[in-house]
Amino acid sequence: MKVIPNLLVFFFDLFLAIILVKGSTSDRERKPYIVYMGNVPEEAGISAVKEHHSLLTTAIGDEKLARESKIRSYGKSFNGFVARLLPHEAKRLSEEESVVSVFENTRRKLHTTRTWDFLGMSEKLQKRSSKAQSNIIVGLLDTGIWVESPSFNDKGFGPPPAKWKGKCVTGANFTRCNKKVIGARYYNLDNALDPNTDQKSPVDTDGHGTHTSSTAAGETVKGASLYGIAQGTARGGVPSARIAMYKVCWSGGCADMDILAAFDDAIGDGVDLISISIGGPSRSYFDDSISIGSFHAMKKGILTACSAGNDGPYQGTVENVAPWIMTVAASSIDRKFVTAVKLGNGMRTSGISINTFSPRKAMYPLTNGARAANVTAEIYGNVGACDYGTLSMKKVKGKIVYCLGSGSQDYTIDRLQGAGTIVAVDAPTDIAIATLIAGTFVVPEVGIKIDQYINSTKNPQAVIYKTRVVNTSTAPFIASFSSRGPQKITLNILKPDIAAPGLDILAAYSELASVTGLPGDRRIVPFNILSGTSMACPHAAAAAAYVKSFHPDWSPAAIKSALMTTATPMKTKSDDAELASGSGQINPTKAVHPGLIYDLNLSSYTRFLCKEGYNSTAIGRLIGRKKKLNCSTIRPAQGLDGLNYPSMHFHFTNESSISAIFRRTVTNVGFAKSLYKATVHSPKGLSVTVSPRVLTFSRSQQTRSFTVLVKGSMQSGASILSALLEWSDTKHSVKSPILVYKQFPPLF
């Protein structure tokens, strides 16, 4: 392997030159900016479109250019517009009194059968509420949908609910909706499409949107599997509910301006819940498209469920953290996928993957990167990791190749006509990834033994068997990739809120996408196995829809509270405790009868935003207040966090001692006459005092308030103390995690 220093210096100088040129031209380049103006004006005679044009003309100084610069006006469910602006024009608009915020359009990313049985929702239980479910519409913002999937069969469905006001937009490879998928739209405001992968219609060319839609509300399909793997009955959490797809994600990502356009339509269309498996870096609530859209959804009684992100196991990575959002972590179910390997010396071992290929021979030649190195060409990568360009086709063809690291080794080996890959990952993994050719991922200690065997004989051999399903007793646990708290925006609100299955989930898939999405993969399947908080989010959204089918008048906060306070604790708890799992894994059947709920309304969020220091005028426009809002004149939010949240979180840095007060109010939704007693489970060093310790109710919907005083000290070197408050009337158990976190700077 040769290193060419002069070439590296050349590329480094070129990179610096590009950065300098880009910096010098950025102030003269028009880019899409979102101008958010809060609630839709209620005053008669006010045209939002005219107001937008007037603001743009003033900011740009040219009426014609202002008209050409505007991309879209939002005005159905909230007020605002998106336009191509120069930085100084954006700044000028941000200074207007009628404008809440101005932020640059960015691109976000996707957070990419048996699960409902594992969660206690049998097919029989789901059918009990099928009539109520059929009136529920689940809206998804995603990559589109493959409506021809058997999971979206509309046999037995009646017409759409009378409240439905949406559309079915047709286009390439999408000619119809049906009585199951009742609505479909697509958004691509900047017209940035890849002609090789993107199709201008609601059709799903990726597979992600079809997978999430069927997880949430797919019809019952017996005998579903991926080439026989994970065979069983596939069904969504609310199989009788309707689906509305809002396609906002393309090969280049998911643009903020498209996300807001979809929210604007979905809220007005009449959806009951929104599921979004999309994320990006956390931003101020008024500068975040998902935060803004979900706030206006909440005002209309619509709960938004969002994926927490796939940047775990690192702390401080959780996304979609607004308190009116239900933020969902990814947990496991009671199975895992195992791919067995046998070596020529008789050694048997196994790894983790989704290998759909059965071996055609008893044994295949086995080699490693060092033995298969391409010695006739300059090598710029890691031979041991089988980097692209480092191996010789002559030495790889027809062989299984052992590689180090994790990446696209299967694609590289396939291009070289290899028979399979065994990859030794840097650390144990819990995620099974589908491979392009026969392949598996093994832990480092197994990899060392395989490498030693290869180097000990002239003709090493191996065989990789098709993946099989193995039951596990360690579930539920939080997936390693699931993003962890603490969050970065409101430090004393615990995020994620809750966990749901997101590891190795079988669900419907688009027939316009291959199993892996890699070039050369010709496997087109009706069902696929994917992992991510993207898969967890629609599970939680479906659980919320299930609860709503029993309690159609409950607020979004009430539904979220019911799911959080009845959640199942993690069987295998990570070191991050509730920073990883939130309140625990969803338990939909228990959430239908939570006993007590922590409710929130628009006034609650108004006081919270005032406490957080947001501008009074901006808050007033956000909530649609006719009279000018003055935070100093309204009743202040109480307690450390200023919100009646189902969980409690104290995030501190420099203090040597712990001292925090939380104030909470619960609403009785259980037995009219009931008595709840408080029980606290706390670790050494943490004192939790609840006052009063007994709550007595004489009627349904009655409220009672209490305070929680948390005191103590953190032991040297520790960063997390985890406690639990439980209210019980012997029939209901209402649980709230209490998490104390000491930050050792710099975390953010």
Side-chain angles (χ1 to χ4, degrees):
M1 185 188 302
K2 292 185 180 180
V3 178
I4 308 174
N6 291 337
L7 188 62
L8 293 175
V9 170
F10 167 76
F11 280 120
F12 181 73
D13 288 342
L14 181 61
F15 173 75
L16 282 179
I18 291 169
I19 292 297
L20 289 171
V21 170
K22 185 176 180 182
S24 65
T25 59
S26 61
D27 289 346
R28 300 194 300 272
E29 182 183 348
R30 289 193 173 274
K31 296 179 181 178
Y33 282 83
I34 291 157
V35 182
Y36 173 56
M37 301 171 66
N39 205 51
V40 175
E42 296 179 2
E43 293 87 348
I46 293 180
S47 167
V49 175
K50 286 183 179 179
E51 185 184 13
H52 300 164
H53 182 65
S54 176
L55 284 168
L56 262 179
T57 302
T58 301
I60 293 174
D62 183 291
E63 196 271 341
K64 183 183 176 185
L65 185 55
R67 197 175 297 279
E68 292 172 350
S69 297
K70 195 180 81 171
I71 298 172
R72 181 182 176 117
S73 280
Y74 308 116
K76 293 180 181 178
S77 307
F78 49 85
N79 191 14
F81 60 93
V82 57
R84 291 185 175 85
L85 303 171
L86 297 174
H88 75 275
E89 295 167 349
K91 185 175 184 300
R92 194 175 296 164
L93 279 165
S94 69
E95 294 167 353
E96 292 283 346
E97 187 180 355
S98 60
V99 172
V100 175
S101 61
V102 179
F103 54 98
E104 190 174 336
N105 175 64
T106 60
R107 291 195 172 273
R108 295 167 180 260
K109 59 185 178 181
L110 295 163
H111 289 149
T112 229
T113 77
R114 177 174 168 72
T115 52
W116 295 111
D117 285 321
F118 178 65
L119 294 172
M121 283 178 68
S122 66
E123 198 173 337
K124 186 177 179 181
L125 269 177
Q126 288 175 322
K127 285 180 179 178
R128 283 185 187 174
S129 63
S130 60
K131 188 174 180 180
Q133 283 179 29
S134 68
N135 197 45
I136 287 178
I137 305 165
V138 180
L140 297 103
L141 277 61
D142 217 297
T143 63
I145 193 166
W146 180 250
V147 76
E148 308 301 331
S149 166
S151 290
F152 308 130
N153 188 327
D154 67 349
K155 185 179 179 180
F157 279 81
K163 63 187 174 183
W164 175 243
K165 299 180 181 67
K167 292 181 179 179
C168 182
V169 180
T170 58
N173 277 310
F174 196 92
T175 59
R176 66 182 181 95
C177 292
N178 60 22
K179 293 176 184 177
K180 174 69 174 175
V181 181
I182 60 174
R185 301 177 187 250
Y186 66 94
Y187 307 85
N188 187 243
L189 296 180
D190 60 357
N191 292 312
L193 297 178
D194 182 340
N196 297 315
T197 56
D198 294 325
Q199 295 190 20
K200 205 169 183 179
S201 81
V203 76
D204 184 10
T205 60
D206 178 274
H208 188 279
T210 302
H211 199 280
T212 56
S213 298
S214 64
T215 299
E219 258 293 316
T220 300
V221 181
K222 297 186 183 298
S225 72
L226 175 62
Y227 288 100
I229 301 170
Q231 187 161 10
T233 299
R235 66 182 191 276
V238 277
S240 298
R242 317 302 179 111
I243 294 170
M245 172 55 67
Y246 300 85
K247 181 177 177 178
V248 297
C249 296
W250 308 81
S251 58
C254 320
D256 282 324
M257 56 186 175
D258 293 337
I259 290 170
L260 276 173
F263 263 115
D264 196 25
D265 283 337
I267 295 167
D269 285 348
V271 302
D272 294 289
L273 293 112
I274 295 175
S275 178
I276 308 179
S277 295
I278 302 166
S282 294
R283 294 185 294 199
S284 165
Y285 299 139
F286 294 171
D287 296 332
D288 185 302
S289 61
I290 295 177
S291 171
I292 291 169
S294 59
F295 186 90
H296 287 278
M298 174 273 298
K299 285 174 60 182
K300 295 293 185 181
I302 303 165
L303 175 61
T304 301
C306 292
S307 46
N310 294 341
D311 294 318
Y314 306 107
Q315 290 184 0
T317 54
V318 65
E319 301 170 1
N320 297 320
V321 298
W324 44 86
I325 289 173
M326 181 165 65
T327 310
V328 189
S331 57
S332 67
I333 60 172
D334 57 347
R335 72 176 180 201
K336 62 179 180 179
F337 297 114
V338 173
T339 304
V341 174
K342 183 180 178 182
L343 304 183
N345 63 359
M347 173 184 162
R348 292 177 179 270
T349 188
S350 63
I352 185 169
S353 70
I354 300 168
N355 174 37
T356 66
F357 305 98
S358 297
R360 296 181 179 179
K361 298 192 295 186
M363 281 286 169
Y364 294 79
L366 175 66
T367 188
N368 58 20
R371 287 191 171 200
N374 185 1
V375 296
T376 62
E378 303 288 358
I379 297 176
Y380 301 106
N382 184 346
V383 171
C386 305
D387 286 350
Y388 188 82
T390 63
L391 306 183
S392 164
M393 181 182 289
K394 185 177 179 182
K395 297 176 182 178
V396 168
K397 187 176 182 180
K399 298 179 181 179
I400 293 173
V401 184
Y402 168 74
C403 308
L404 300 172
S406 58
S408 56
Q409 287 92 344
D410 54 334
Y411 173 72
T412 302
I413 302 306
D414 180 58
R415 292 290 296 270
L416 298 174
Q417 298 178 28
T421 58
I422 302 171
V423 179
V425 293
D426 299 330
T429 181
D430 50 22
I431 180 172
I433 298 172
T435 53
L436 181 60
I437 54 177
T440 191
F441 299 86
V442 298
V443 294
E445 50 267 34
V446 170
I448 290 170
K449 292 179 181 179
I450 293 171
D451 202 39
Q452 288 173 343
Y453 163 66
I454 292 170
N455 294 322
S456 69
T457 180
K458 284 187 177 181
N459 299 303
Q461 292 181 310
V463 63
I464 303 170
Y465 296 101
K466 185 178 179 179
T467 294
R468 59 190 175 90
V469 176
V470 175
N471 292 332
T472 175
S473 60
T474 58
F477 61 83
I478 294 298
S480 58
F481 58 77
S482 187
S483 289
R484 269 69 167 167
Q487 61 149 304
K488 301 176 183 179
I489 306 302
T490 303
L491 300 185
N492 291 317
I493 298 291
L494 180 63
K495 290 284 180 170
D497 291 308
I498 204 160
L503 191 62
D504 305 331
I505 305 301
L506 177 77
Y509 208 60
S510 173
E511 293 186 18
L512 295 181
S514 67
V515 170
T516 62
L518 292 171
D521 192 348
R522 296 181 179 84
R523 291 171 295 174
I524 303 300
V525 294
F527 295 90
N528 201 358
I529 299 167
L530 301 179
S531 294
T533 54
S534 276
M535 285 63 250
C537 179
H539 276 97
Y546 182 71
V547 174
K548 191 175 181 69
S549 71
F550 287 89
H551 305 287
D553 57 335
W554 278 12
S555 70
I559 294 171
K560 184 167 81 167
S561 171
L563 288 166
M564 290 174 67
T565 60
T566 59
T568 303
M570 291 297 111
K571 194 168 186 178
T572 306
K573 205 168 184 178
S574 75
D575 293 337
D576 301 309
E578 286 77 17
L579 290 178
S581 65
S583 295
Q585 182 166 270
I586 55 170
N587 190 332
T589 54
K590 279 193 175 182
V592 171
H593 305 290
L596 303 175
I597 56 170
Y598 295 84
D599 210 352
L600 290 161
N601 56 29
L602 192 57
S603 295
S604 309
Y605 291 119
T606 302
R607 290 193 294 272
F608 165 77
L609 291 169
C610 284
K611 181 180 173 68
E612 288 294 297
Y614 283 87
N615 178 275
S616 294
T617 303
I619 298 171
R621 294 196 174 278
L622 178 75
I623 64 176
R625 187 181 173 108
K626 291 182 180 180
K627 292 182 179 180
K628 194 169 183 179
L629 178 74
N630 186 340
C631 281
S632 64
T633 63
I634 65 172
R635 182 164 61 89
Q638 300 295 305
L640 176 73
D641 50 6
L643 207 57
N644 193 38
Y645 218 66
S647 59
M648 300 170 212
H649 182 37
F650 178 38
H651 182 139
F652 69 106
T653 51
N654 300 321
E655 297 91 339
S656 57
S657 61
I658 299 163
S659 182
I661 296 177
F662 299 91
R663 301 188 188 277
R664 295 291 187 266
T665 298
V666 287
T667 303
N668 179 26
V669 294
F671 301 117
K673 292 184 178 181
S674 53
L675 184 147
Y676 285 82
K677 293 182 179 180
T679 304
V680 173
H681 308 272
S682 60
K684 184 180 179 181
L686 194 66
S687 167
V688 179
T689 305
V690 182
S691 180
R693 296 188 68 88
V694 176
L695 301 177
T696 304
F697 298 90
S698 59
R699 56 183 171 80
S700 180
Q701 298 302 313
Q702 191 173 13
T703 61
R704 289 286 183 262
S705 298
F706 62 93
T707 61
V708 178
L709 175 62
V710 180
K711 283 187 169 292
S713 59
M714 192 78 71
Q715 293 182 358
S716 178
S719 62
I720 292 175
L721 288 174
S722 178
L724 182 73
L725 166 62
E726 181 180 6
W727 290 103
S728 176
D729 67 347
T730 71
K731 298 291 184 181
H732 302 95
S733 175
V734 187
K735 301 185 293 292
S736 291
I738 302 170
L739 190 81
V740 177
Y741 175 78
K742 184 173 183 179
Q743 179 181 320
F744 294 98
L747 178 63
F748 304 141

